[in-house]
Amino acid sequence: PPPPDPEEPFNTAKAIAEWGLDYVVLTSVDRDDMEDGGADHFAKTVQYLKVWQPEILVECLVSDFRGDEEAVRHLAGSGLDVYAHNIETVERLQPFVRDHRAGYEQSLRVLRRAKEFQEGVYTKTSIMLGLGETRDEVIQTMKDLREAGVDVLTLGQYLRPSDKHLAVEEYVTPEQFDEYREIGNAMGFRYVASGPMVRSSYKAGEFFLEHMIKGDRGRAEELAKTFRTGHQDVRQLSDDGTLST
């Protein structure tokens, strides 16, 4: 492919700012031909956008950057709000579903590092169902994602784009999707969207994320306002998130 347009981050951010959106998802095709996988291109777009419209919430849905932790660090620290990278399927099916340069552990590591590199960043991932996975494998994948600190999980039905793509092995029932959502909520995910037509960029999920992030930051601001200094105070964080002395 041709090299990326150096003016694209500026032009993209300018256009988005003019639209007046509250939440935007930035994504692209994989650019493994670029040294950093396109991380700097994403980062510059986020930075320009936050200058023009500081209140907008930005999600970047990106590749694993071939496991390049410096690329992950750069993007995580760009000012984005949600770092999204899709693990796609269960561990056993990874070699059949994804490019050989991708991998289950590599995706988990990227999601884990994004949170470690930048405090306050939310992480998000997606699993496609109907590729031949078992219920136990899905649940194990969910456990692994929670251990990696992932905040938001979406599960949707795989649909075959063309005859050249993998065949659908199963159409998962709505009841099974509901069960996965309940299991995910019990595991502690901040939000789980699970249904046949759910996709990684899912309008209802974005709406929830927007309000969740704004709510979290609002509570943090209130805590900062009411926090009293003084070594003689013994402070406790109550179940409702308030500080008491």
Side-chain angles (χ1 to χ4, degrees):
D5 177 3
E7 299 300 320
E8 187 178 40
F10 180 92
N11 293 333
T12 299
K14 183 174 183 293
I16 293 170
E18 290 172 350
W19 294 340
L21 301 177
D22 297 315
Y23 192 107
V24 67
V25 180
L26 303 176
T27 190
S28 74
V29 296
D30 285 354
R31 289 302 302 258
D32 288 342
D33 57 302
M34 298 171 64
E35 185 174 351
D36 69 348
D40 186 57
H41 214 64
F42 273 99
K44 286 178 178 175
T45 306
V46 174
Q47 290 161 356
Y48 282 131
L49 188 50
K50 288 290 187 173
V51 168
W52 272 311
Q53 194 177 348
E55 70 280 4
I56 193 171
L57 298 179
V58 182
E59 173 184 329
C60 289
L61 173 58
V62 295
S63 72
D64 60 9
F65 299 127
R66 302 187 301 273
D68 182 348
E69 293 194 3
E70 284 308 307
V72 175
R73 183 194 302 272
H74 184 42
L75 180 56
S78 67
L80 57 69
D81 301 281
V82 180
Y83 193 112
H85 167 65
N86 291 339
I87 199 164
E88 305 291 6
T89 188
V90 301
E91 185 171 16
R92 176 177 59 86
L93 296 177
Q94 293 276 323
F96 308 102
V97 174
R98 305 178 71 191
D99 186 277
H100 70 277
R101 291 165 292 187
Y104 188 79
E105 290 298 331
Q106 184 162 283
S107 287
L108 289 173
R109 186 167 59 252
V110 164
L111 290 162
R112 184 181 297 110
R113 290 288 187 265
K115 290 189 78 71
E116 293 173 352
F117 288 148
Q118 187 62 43
E119 184 180 358
V121 164
Y122 296 83
T123 49
K124 175 182 173 184
T125 196
S126 182
I127 303 173
M128 297 183 295
L129 302 183
L131 288 162
E133 69 288 332
T134 68
R135 177 181 178 277
D136 287 346
E137 286 175 323
V138 174
I139 293 172
Q140 183 59 54
T141 302
M142 295 167 71
K143 289 179 180 177
D144 293 340
L145 291 167
R146 275 305 299 140
E147 289 176 2
V150 171
D151 298 293
V152 178
L153 172 65
T154 66
L155 302 101
Q157 173 67 50
Y158 168 70
L159 298 175
R160 192 181 194 184
S162 74
D163 291 343
K164 297 180 180 179
H165 290 79
L166 290 171
V168 176
E169 295 295 329
E170 176 190 12
Y171 287 100
V172 180
T173 66
E175 292 76 18
Q176 185 64 68
F177 277 109
D178 288 344
E179 183 192 16
Y180 288 140
R181 183 178 63 252
E182 292 171 1
I183 291 171
N185 288 333
M187 286 182 183
F189 287 100
R190 295 294 305 277
Y191 178 68
V192 180
S194 180
M197 300 307 294
V198 168
R199 295 296 177 261
S200 59
S201 292
Y202 183 59
K203 187 62 180 176
E206 290 160 16
F207 177 82
F208 182 90
L209 262 175
E210 176 188 345
H211 289 271
M212 181 184 79
I213 293 169
K214 289 179 178 177
D216 286 351
R217 291 175 181 172
R219 285 190 291 274
E221 289 172 3
E222 286 303 311
L223 286 172
K225 289 177 184 176
T226 58
F227 189 84
R228 296 189 294 116
T229 59
H231 66 276
Q232 75 283 2
D233 292 334
V234 178
R235 300 176 183 81
Q236 293 182 333
L237 185 64
S238 60
D239 291 339
D240 63 359
T242 58
L243 286 170
S244 60
T245 58

